[in-house]
Every structure is written in structure tokens, then in C-alpha cells.
Amino acid sequence: MSARKSVTILGATGSVGTSTLDLIAQAPDAFDVVALTAQNDVDGLAAAARATRAGLAVIGNEAHFGALCDALAGTDTEVAAGRGAIIEAARRGADWTMASIVGSAGLSPVMAALEGGGTVALANKEALVSAGALMTRAARESGARLLPVDSEHNAVFQCLDHQAPERVARIILTASGGPFRDWSLDAMASVTPAQAVKHPNWSMGAKISVDSATMMNKGLELIEAFHLFPVGTDRLDILVHRQSVVHSMVEYIDGSVIAQLGTPDMRTPIAYALAWPDRMETPCERLDLARIGRLDFEAADMVRFPAIAIARAAMEAGGARPAVLNAANEEAVAAFLAGRIGFLDIAAIVRDTLDRYDPPAPATLDDVFVIDREARLNAAMAMESAVA
């Protein structure tokens, strides 16, 4: 890489944030860290700020402000706390911002970073699922560049002819199928949270692991792809690929299919986004196709995994439907992890919530927050009805 790049990491102590920090540590002379944020992990944030000599460290939970000040005493790192301070960190004008704050809490910081006109590496699904039209409009108006970090969308970004999307016949997102890809519906009815969070290929948090198990993650990724890549809803497809080696594919009108392959390591797509438009070396394990021996593909089973069809319908309807879907799914997954509902109830609760609540399309980010809050209340009512 050439000139030094200034970097902000929103959500620096999560899995994506720490992977980004690991890559920065591989090439410390290439990056200047403007700001790092975390919600509660004072020790992790302080250690990262010291290691990178960050200009600013922000802890979201204001109760931890004193502890962070103590941890960074004697350094040149500025310290701040609170939701507003995280948003201001996103506005600091870094060349490149990693947006990896999980959930709706990440929406305002993502918007602030986009309005600044830099490059935003997006790992926050909610930004495009719940507010895709607003986020992409903000990027167009400011000239910001959105780079996807999810392995599937990053793969598509690498394979896509961005100058001529009309030549694309299909974008094919691959899916591992999760831990229950071979289970019957009867067997899945008794799935426990402990079973659902054990992903066969990737190391992920509990919520996204459950989304993979229900395959709702692929539905959410369809919605993200719709906003990222201008090909329309009818040219987006899903294919189950058990080995998670082919991360996604782009099929062109001449029949050619271009795929991006790699080991299942999030540092690969993060590195692509971090170095873009260049590439950088990573410590990731190299792909050994001879050792793998075979690559398997199969169609997704819409009967056993109805979340895909529910999400596709929300995507095609547009407006507020994806935001309602996302909020309802978050509530249902949380209830499942807490043992209040069964595994198969997750998709049913999401469908019921969509039936109950159909607000107008959001015109502002504040509208998205209202929709999110109301959808969660409707999901709670759907769950009460389900267990009554």
C-alpha cells in the first residue's frame, strides 16, 4: 500500500473490530488510528488504544468513563463516553471507518460516517436491512464509498463488473446451511440454544449463529445485496455450499460464473476492504483445494428454512418491511436464546409480526427507530399469543 490511511473502528472490541486491529498490527506503518469505540469493554478498548496510539477512545456506557480515563492515564489518547461521543467519533473524518457496532445502536454512527464522505466498511447488517435506502442516499450525496465486509457481499464486490451491472445474470450468495442443514423439521423442533450457536464452519457470536441456523442470515443478506448491488430483486439467489470455501458468485449473461474463494476467516474480507483499492498481506490460512478435495452445492430448502422466503418477501415489498423483519427477528432470537420460545418459533414470530404491523416507509433515521421500537412491541405480543 502507498500513503498512510487514517482509520476509525466503531465497535473495536467485537470480533470484527479485533480482527481489524489484528490486520492493522500487521502493517502499523500504513495506518493512523483516529478513533476507537466500544460499549462496555474498558480493558479491551484501552489496550487497543495504547497499542495503536489512537487519537480518541470512546466508551458507550458512561458509567465506565472514569475507568477508561484511569486506564489511559499518561497517554496522548483523548477519552470520551456516551452515545453522542460515539457518533462524534464517526464524524472525525477518517479516510476509512469500520462500522461494526451490532444492532440498531450502530445506525446513527454509520450515518455520521457516511455523511463525512469517506470510505465506510460495513459490518453492521442493520444499516442496510433497516435503513438501506437512507444509507445509500447519504453515501451518494456525500460521495462516500460503501465497502461490504460480510464475506458474501465482499466476495460479490470482488467479482462484480461495477461499470456494467446490466451484464450480470445473477448474484449468487452462498450459505453453509448452518448446523441443522440435514435435520428434519421434527428434529429441529427440539433444538436447544447450545446446539444452535455451534456453527460448523465459522466462529461467530450467539445471535448471528442462530441466524445462520434458521438461515435468516441469508434472508438479511439478500436485502443487503439489493442495496449494495444494482441488479434488482429477481437476480439475487442463494445456494447452499457446505464447505464455506466459495463465498459467493456472480453469473454473467454469457454464462460465465466468477467466484471468490478462500478459507473461512473474516480477516480476508476485512483486509480487502481495509486495503482497497490495493491488497495487503494477511496471516490467514491459505486455501488448499487439493486437501479439501471437493466442493458441494445444493438448493436451499424453503420448507425447513422458511426465513429465507419471509425475508425475500420483505425485500420485494420494500418500505418499512425489512426494518420490521429485522426487529422482529432480533426479538425472537433473544427469546429463543433465553429459553422462552422454540427454535421453529423464530420464523413464525417474524411472520406474525409482519402480519400485525405494516407502517409507512421511513423518511428519516428517526422514523427507522420508531419502526424498530414498534416492531419489537408487536413481536412481543406475537410471542405472548404463541405461548398462551
Side-chain angles (χ1 to χ4, degrees), residues 12-373:
T13 60
S15 61
V16 172
T18 54
S19 292
T20 306
L21 288 165
D22 180 59
L23 291 166
I24 289 173
Q26 307 294 319
D29 294 334
F31 304 102
D32 292 315
V33 176
V34 174
L36 302 173
T37 80
Q39 183 60 26
N40 288 298
D41 187 355
V42 171
D43 292 341
L45 179 60
R50 284 181 176 274
T52 60
R53 298 181 179 179
L56 171 67
V58 181
I59 194 77
N61 187 336
E62 295 184 31
H64 298 319
F65 177 65
L68 184 61
C69 289
D70 292 342
L72 289 173
T75 72
D76 293 327
T77 299
E78 180 185 350
V79 177
R83 179 175 177 271
I86 290 177
I87 295 170
E88 287 307 309
R91 294 190 193 280
R92 287 226 163 178
D95 298 327
W96 187 94
T97 299
M98 169 57 77
S100 59
I101 298 173
V102 175
S104 58
L107 292 181
S108 294
V110 170
M111 183 64 83
L114 289 172
E115 290 171 347
T119 296
V120 178
L122 195 60
N124 173 292
K125 285 184 183 297
E126 291 76 16
L128 292 181
V129 173
S130 297
L134 300 177
M135 295 291 176
T136 53
R137 185 179 70 195
R140 287 193 303 271
E141 291 176 351
S142 70
R145 165 69 74 171
L146 261 176
L147 294 180
V149 171
D150 275 353
S151 61
E152 296 83 0
H153 301 96
N154 188 272
V156 172
F157 189 88
Q158 295 190 48
C159 298
L160 188 69
D161 183 349
H162 296 271
Q163 302 305 311
E166 69 277 3
R167 297 173 185 164
V168 174
R170 277 192 308 162
I171 287 175
I172 305 165
L173 303 177
T174 56
S176 69
F180 311 127
R181 57 198 173 201
D182 296 319
W183 290 37
S184 67
L185 273 172
D186 287 343
M188 283 194 285
S190 59
V191 161
T192 67
Q195 292 171 316
V197 300
K198 290 183 179 178
H199 194 279
N201 299 345
W202 296 89
S203 175
M204 305 183 294
K207 194 268 179 182
I208 192 172
S209 295
V210 175
D211 282 345
S212 179
T214 64
M215 292 195 70
M216 179 61 84
N217 68 322
K218 287 303 128 178
L220 299 175
E221 287 168 14
L222 281 176
I223 298 169
E224 290 181 271
F226 169 73
H227 290 291
L228 285 166
F229 310 115
V231 301
T233 61
D234 59 336
R235 287 186 282 169
L236 298 174
D237 207 352
I238 291 171
L239 188 65
V240 174
H241 167 52
R242 294 169 179 256
Q243 291 90 349
S244 294
V245 169
V246 177
H247 296 299
S248 279
M249 298 173 270
V250 177
E251 178 186 335
Y252 288 90
I253 56 176
D254 61 0
S256 298
V257 178
I258 299 178
Q260 188 267 336
L261 285 71
T263 54
D265 188 326
M266 278 301 298
R267 290 176 298 180
T268 300
I270 294 169
Y272 183 82
L274 183 59
W276 185 88
D278 203 347
R279 287 184 185 266
M280 64 184 290
E281 291 187 19
T282 75
C284 301
E285 179 186 355
R286 294 309 189 246
L287 185 63
D288 185 346
L289 288 173
R291 178 176 59 82
I292 293 168
R294 59 182 286 174
L295 300 175
D296 299 295
F297 303 93
E298 59 196 88
D301 187 331
M302 302 297 181
V303 175
R304 290 186 299 129
F305 300 99
I308 299 173
I310 295 170
R312 181 178 282 279
M315 173 184 68
E316 292 171 347
R321 306 299 278 167
V324 174
L325 169 97
N326 179 73
N329 180 63
E330 286 190 6
E331 290 296 301
V333 170
F336 167 69
L337 288 170
R340 301 202 313 270
I341 63 172
F343 181 75
L344 295 181
D345 294 328
I346 296 172
I349 295 301
V350 174
R351 183 187 287 114
D352 192 350
T353 304
L354 286 162
D355 289 342
R356 289 168 178 263
Y357 181 51
D358 187 15
T364 67
L365 209 52
D366 285 340
D367 293 341
V368 174
F369 292 131
V370 171
I371 291 166
D372 181 86
R373 183 171 61 250

